[in-house]
Amino acid sequence: MTSQRTRERLIQRLYEEGLSNARVLEVIRSTPRHLFVDEALAHRAYEDTALPIGHNQTISQPYMVARMSELLLEAGPLDKVMEIGTGSGYQTAVLSQLVERVFSVERIKVLQDRAKERLVELNLRNVVFRWGDGWEGWPALAPYNGIIVTAVATDVPQALLDQLAPGGRLVIPVGSGEVQQLMLIIREENGFSRRVLGAVRFVPLLNGPLA
């Protein structure tokens, strides 16, 4: 089920669902998603669905990975992107092929350690990792041209807004329970513009690192 045909079927589906950034679609096509899930689930790796990765976390569905990546790149190339929620490392791997540098924060150390190994295996070496609280971001290396959050926050963390460069873009799911909305926030000259992009479903963005 990890054949090229299965991958092509996934790309066709994403295209039919309105995704049109050729570069993003090509990276989704060429990134081996089956390496980012447990072997028992590898046969489902190219379905357009989220899958469990342990620790009450999931690998995001390919549509959402592609959609959030498209939104980040909508205004052109980015050189410095922070990812909140390394998780399996799949979104990290996709981003690392689309932007110059990725700074990825994850609170669950065992997940991040596994993700690091996968990226080394794929020879993706433009990613720096931090084990820490996603609500805090990574202020020491701010500002960032783009920030992508792969878990739902009850509200937009002020720390992430503060770490966004002028003109920078933040893609984040916001809400609680069943009511979650994907948002695009852009740092303008006089504050922030916000676009609500529709209903989504993510695991919650929690405080505090876990070994």
Side-chain angles (χ1 to χ4, degrees), residues 7-164:
R7 296 191 198 194
E8 293 299 338
R9 203 157 49 227
L10 171 62
I11 297 307
Q12 183 59 33
R13 175 168 177 166
L14 298 184
Y15 182 77
E16 287 167 2
E17 289 185 13
L19 297 170
S20 58
N21 185 312
R23 199 158 152 249
V24 171
L25 289 174
E26 183 49 45
V27 168
I28 296 281
R29 174 189 278 114
S30 62
T31 302
R33 191 172 184 248
H34 62 277
L35 297 184
F36 294 87
V37 297
D38 288 342
E39 217 173 304
L41 291 171
H43 65 288
R44 299 189 60 198
Y46 299 99
E47 294 176 14
D48 188 23
T49 187
L51 295 168
I53 57 169
H55 303 273
N56 294 316
Q57 303 298 300
T58 59
I59 180 173
S60 294
Q61 71 175 120
Y63 172 85
M64 197 50 63
V65 171
R67 174 89 169 110
M68 293 173 84
S69 301
E70 267 197 8
L71 287 165
L72 265 193
L73 296 168
E74 210 170 38
L78 297 175
D79 74 330
K80 189 177 179 186
V81 169
M82 176 167 63
E83 174 192 41
I84 302 298
T86 314
S88 69
Y90 177 64
Q91 172 80 75
T92 324
V94 169
L95 276 179
S96 74
Q97 297 169 78
L98 295 167
V99 306
E100 280 189 37
R101 293 173 294 163
V102 179
F103 300 84
S104 189
V105 180
E106 171 59 58
R107 66 186 286 269
I108 303 173
K109 191 168 189 301
V110 64
L111 285 183
Q112 192 170 65
D113 288 345
R114 275 188 224 142
K116 282 183 193 175
E117 289 170 13
R118 289 165 179 145
L119 267 65
V120 168
E121 193 181 331
L122 294 171
N123 201 30
L124 298 171
R125 301 188 180 272
N126 58 339
V127 181
V128 185
F129 295 93
R130 177 178 187 237
W131 172 46
D133 189 329
W135 282 87
E136 296 169 4
W138 198 339
L141 299 180
Y144 304 93
N145 305 114
I147 299 176
I148 190 168
V149 183
T150 61
V152 65
T154 46
D155 48 45
V156 181
Q158 185 60 45
L160 301 189
L161 295 174
D162 293 343
Q163 290 167 47
L164 207 54

Side-chain angles (χ1 to χ4, degrees), residues 139-209:
L141 299 180
Y144 304 93
N145 305 114
I147 299 176
I148 190 168
V149 183
T150 61
V152 65
T154 46
D155 48 45
V156 181
Q158 185 60 45
L160 301 189
L161 295 174
D162 293 343
Q163 290 167 47
L164 207 54
R169 305 165 74 83
L170 166 61
V171 180
I172 180 170
V174 181
S176 58
E178 299 292 312
V179 186
Q180 303 179 10
Q181 299 287 343
L182 188 63
M183 295 184 71
L184 170 65
I185 300 170
I186 301 173
R187 183 165 211 155
E188 312 279 8
E189 256 181 65
N190 303 310
F192 296 90
S193 67
R194 300 174 184 237
R195 267 165 61 195
V196 176
L197 300 157
V200 289
R201 178 174 287 189
F202 281 83
V203 297
L205 181 65
L206 300 174
N207 293 98

